Amino acid sequence: MAWIKDGKIWKIVSAMSQETMNFKIKSHQERGWELEGQIKPHGYGLGCLMVCERKGLRDSNKI
């Protein structure tokens, strides 16, 4: 799930194990995402909130 708020993209990243979660977080961080908060139980696995600046917009006031 992802949404846009305050000119940033917010996304919940989830995984079934801690190992997979660490891999997904590292992969997102390599693409410019930042971990926001902590890893917590989410559904049957784990989840965390990640945020990224919106890039490539001509007018940031749209949306």
Side-chain angles (χ1 to χ4, degrees):
M1 169 189 246
W3 62 95
I4 298 170
K5 180 180 177 185
D6 300 327
K8 298 180 181 181
I9 303 171
W10 299 79
K11 179 178 185 178
I12 296 174
V13 176
S14 60
M16 295 299 289
S17 70
Q18 185 67 48
E19 182 179 340
T20 305
M21 178 59 77
N22 291 339
F23 174 78
K24 286 186 172 187
I25 289 172
K26 183 179 176 185
S27 176
H28 275 76
Q29 287 174 332
E30 289 172 355
R31 292 180 274 142
W33 289 82
E34 297 176 16
L35 181 63
E36 187 78 22
Q38 303 174 6
I39 299 171
K40 297 183 179 183
H42 179 72
Y44 290 106
L46 304 166
C48 67
L49 182 62
M50 298 196 79
V51 63
C52 183
E53 293 289 329
R54 293 178 69 197
K55 299 175 187 172
L57 292 178
R58 291 183 213 149
D59 183 0
S60 61
N61 292 328
K62 293 180 181 176
I63 302 179

